[in-house]
Amino acid sequence: MNNETPQNIRSGETAGEINSQADFVVGTSLGKDAWRRLLKNRLAVFGLVVVATITIASLIGPAIIKAATGYTYDFMPRNVALLKSMPPFRGPDGSFSFMHPMGTDNSGRDILARVLLGGQISLLVGTISTLVSLLIGVSYGAVAGYLGGRVDSWMMRLVDVLYSLPYIILVIVLLALFRSSTAVGQLLLLFVALGAVSWLTMARIVRGQVLSLKNQEFVLAARATGVSTPRIIFRHIVPNTLGPVIVYATLTIPTVMLSEAFLSFLGLGVQPPLASWGSLAAEGIQNIAIFPWQLIFPGVTMAVTLFSLNFLGDGLRDALDPQTRK
């Protein structure tokens, strides 16, 4: 005799449904999966923390220093006796002091305030110049890859010609031809000059991605429904290339920052009264034998930032690479 009651049957069915539901795998998105993979990469997390710390310190540090000590990046003491370079944690009389943790330069200006200002300028140059290169490179590569044929051939031959020219020489020529008489104008020119010559690799990367995407089903469906070519390129195809674009952009920022430092070292970059890590290093190298801290602090800060950005870029590349996803 079957002793099962409706209550038991309902209970059994409920338990079976629960067991079957337990077999389902919780879905995830590419962003969540990439973030999880990024957090497993210790070097990438270290780079992210260092870059975030230096960025925040550069943004709010000068205001805190001014409120606490009254010093700004361009403040020079009125006392002639203080117009000299002092070692870190030393006062005018040689005693221990927290007034200048990184010392002062030859004009008595606080090096910590100038390093933080240099962080603002260097990070700004790296970020904006990279955005300029992304705007040009992504648009150029996407159009070339989607249109194909002779248009693609001619457009990429132009890229090959520009590739054959020395990168830094082009920047120097642009800065020399359009040199500005103001510090802000020179900084804006630096943004454009660095961004205008660093888009070539990005164009090739995006073109390759577009060539592999333009015959996919979603693109063919967009064509069949009468979507315009610009909308197909920038609304449907370009968003699907963001993985490699983000990775290369992260790796481009330190390259641009290093180029800016080199140009500032030559006197073609950031002009006084503004300062970048490159211009601070150029000033410090003149006194390295007598006042080494003038070079050590901006140089070490820039080196740590560049290493951290490279660690972060490598981590993003591994996190966003579909070939390594589990």
Side-chain angles (χ1 to χ4, degrees):
M1 179 180 292
N2 188 357
N3 294 326
E4 291 185 355
T5 63
Q7 180 87 16
N8 294 333
I9 292 174
R10 285 196 296 269
S11 301
E13 289 176 352
T14 303
E17 290 174 0
I18 293 175
N19 291 333
S20 62
Q21 290 174 3
D23 295 335
F24 289 111
V25 178
V26 178
T28 184
S29 64
L30 176 61
K32 291 181 179 179
D33 187 49
W35 177 250
R36 188 162 48 247
R37 291 173 63 84
L38 181 66
L39 293 180
K40 293 180 180 179
N41 189 325
R42 294 183 179 180
L43 282 178
V45 173
F46 169 78
L48 178 61
V49 171
V50 170
V51 171
T53 302
I54 291 178
T55 301
I56 295 173
S58 298
L59 292 175
I60 67 176
I64 295 176
I65 293 175
K66 182 179 180 180
T69 65
Y71 291 109
T72 59
Y73 71 93
D74 58 350
F75 175 79
M76 291 187 291
R78 296 181 180 180
N79 188 348
V80 179
L82 299 179
L83 296 177
K84 62 179 181 179
S85 183
M86 292 184 292
F89 295 106
R90 288 292 182 270
D93 56 354
S95 61
F96 183 84
S97 173
F98 286 102
M99 190 64 68
H100 302 291
M102 292 186 179
T104 61
D105 62 6
N106 294 341
S107 300
R109 295 173 295 187
D110 184 62
I111 291 181
L112 176 58
R114 292 180 65 75
V115 167
L116 294 178
L117 173 76
Q120 292 182 10
I121 300 299
S122 294
L123 291 171
L124 194 63
V125 170
T127 302
I128 295 183
S129 298
T130 299
L131 291 177
V132 172
S133 70
L134 288 182
L135 179 63
I136 300 174
V138 170
S139 302
Y140 194 93
V143 171
Y146 183 79
L147 296 181
R150 289 188 175 181
V151 175
D152 178 33
S153 179
W154 280 104
M155 292 179 71
M156 297 316 294
R157 294 297 78 75
L158 175 61
V159 170
D160 293 337
V161 170
L162 294 177
Y163 249 124
S164 66
L165 302 176
Y167 163 80
I168 200 65
I169 298 299
L170 286 177
V171 178
I172 292 175
V173 170
L174 289 175
L175 291 175
L177 288 177
F178 303 99
R179 194 173 183 86
S180 176
S181 58
T182 63
V184 176
Q186 185 70 11
L187 184 61
L188 295 176
L189 181 59
L190 193 62
F191 293 155
V192 176
L194 288 172
V197 297
S198 58
W199 57 272
L200 302 177
T201 302
M202 177 56 66
R204 284 186 168 183
I205 292 174
V206 173
R207 173 182 175 270
Q209 293 292 314
V210 171
L211 287 176
S212 65
L213 291 172
K214 69 177 185 178
N215 292 321
Q216 296 291 326
E217 288 80 0
F218 68 93
V219 178
L220 298 178
R223 290 178 189 164
T225 56
V227 179
S228 63
T229 297
R231 186 171 177 82
I232 291 177
I233 294 175
F234 296 104
R235 178 66 180 84
H236 297 279
I237 296 181
V238 169
N240 287 280
T241 67
L242 289 183
V245 168
I246 292 173
V247 173
Y248 183 73
T250 309
L251 296 173
T252 301
I253 292 176
T255 302
V256 173
M257 290 174 60
L258 195 60
S259 299
E260 180 276 325
F262 176 71
L263 292 171
S264 296
F265 194 83
L266 295 179
L268 295 173
V270 178
Q271 301 297 315
L274 300 178
S276 68
W277 288 333
S279 62
L280 292 176
E283 295 174 4
I285 197 68
Q286 301 175 7
N287 304 308
I288 186 173
I290 306 173
F291 310 124
W293 56 86
Q294 294 185 14
L295 175 63
I296 291 175
F297 289 111
V300 170
T301 305
M302 181 174 65
V304 170
T305 305
L306 295 180
F307 274 118
S308 299
L309 284 169
N310 279 292
F311 291 152
L312 179 59
D314 290 339
L316 284 173
R317 180 190 59 198
D318 296 337
L320 295 171
D321 186 2
Q323 299 300 324
T324 61
R325 293 181 61 204
K326 295 183 180 180

